[in-house]
Amino acid sequence: RVGSLVMLLGLVAAATGLALLLGDSAIDRTVVGVLVDLVIVVGIYVFIGLTGVFSFGHLGFVAIGAYAVGLLTVPVGTKEVLFRSMPDALDQLHLPFVPALVVGGLVAAAAALVVAVPLSRMAGLTAALATLSILVMVYTVASNWDQVTNGAQGMSGIPTNTTLGVAFAAALVVITAVWLFQESRLGLQLRATREDPIAARAVGIRVGRERGIALVVS
């Protein structure tokens, strides 16, 4: 298992190093996009891979975190020009990129915590359809909440902070953290619920609670 972690980290480092070596802006953007997608996939793995419960809704949580970071990093002066109807509490709120990134992750996790309670009582196709409804709700709110998200027009004026170095560092941190989580006691219990939920309950594992934790972590 350590070998697979080292191999994946090596591939990420190789791709980043190659982009730096070539020094082409188009390649940089492509590698940054790949690293961002990798972070998302690794996060989804925490829930789907460890619990065996399929989820259609994780991109909804990605959107929640992304909107939160966007709202926090757009300069106040830009908000006053581009988002005239934004509530004052958000209009005057601004954070540097890294703190905003942490807050965005926490906001997404908080949203997951809200839905984790009912979702943890479901399994199989029922849970998968419930996660699809989450994605639909997030899309509907984001497309129509003009005061905050600018509706279907989307947000503009967001600073470009996700450089190749930032994306590389994020990928390393997320991959390592997920590997440690997978090898932890909770990770082993989650895999037990995936393989045989009835046997897992028989040995004292609280399947619903463990899956709820996995959703929040992912």
Side-chain angles (χ1 to χ4, degrees):
R1 293 182 183 278
V2 177
S4 60
L5 172 65
V6 173
M7 183 180 297
L8 182 55
L9 293 178
L11 289 173
V12 171
T16 306
L18 181 61
L20 289 172
L21 183 63
L22 294 175
D24 185 275
S25 59
I27 294 177
D28 282 1
R29 289 194 298 271
T30 300
V31 174
V32 167
V34 170
L35 293 175
V36 170
D37 289 342
L38 178 62
V39 168
I40 295 172
V41 169
V42 172
I44 293 174
Y45 165 77
V46 173
F47 184 71
I48 298 179
L50 297 183
T51 68
V53 178
F54 197 79
S55 171
F56 294 103
H58 268 70
L59 287 183
F61 298 115
V62 174
I64 291 171
Y67 273 113
V69 176
L71 288 169
L72 291 172
T73 54
V74 173
V76 173
T78 304
K79 288 181 184 178
E80 292 174 348
V81 174
L82 298 179
F83 307 99
R84 296 182 181 275
S85 60
M86 183 175 289
D88 292 339
L90 294 176
D91 196 28
Q92 301 300 316
L93 191 60
H94 178 77
L95 288 176
F97 176 63
V98 174
L101 194 63
V102 173
V103 171
L106 293 175
V107 170
L113 182 62
V114 171
V115 303
V117 176
L119 192 62
S120 64
R121 303 174 184 273
M122 306 175 191
L125 182 60
T126 304
L129 292 175
T131 61
L132 178 60
S133 68
I134 294 169
L135 179 61
V136 172
M137 286 188 289
V138 172
Y139 174 78
T140 302
V141 172
S143 299
N144 293 279
W145 199 3
D146 294 336
Q147 289 182 316
V148 175
T149 66
N150 208 28
Q153 297 181 21
M155 295 185 64
S156 56
I158 302 174
T160 305
N161 293 304
T162 309
T163 62
L164 185 61
V166 170
F168 174 66
L172 292 186
V173 170
V174 169
I175 291 170
T176 304
V178 168
W179 184 84
L180 292 173
F181 180 79
Q182 173 186 267
E183 299 302 316
S184 68
R185 178 181 179 183
L186 180 55
L188 295 174
Q189 290 176 337
L190 284 168
R191 277 183 276 171
T193 68
R194 178 191 65 194
E195 299 301 326
D196 194 330
I198 297 175
R201 289 189 179 92
V203 297
I205 297 175
R206 298 173 65 180
V207 175
R209 188 192 69 173
E210 310 301 331
R211 287 178 175 175
I213 294 173
L215 179 65
V216 174
V217 172
S218 71

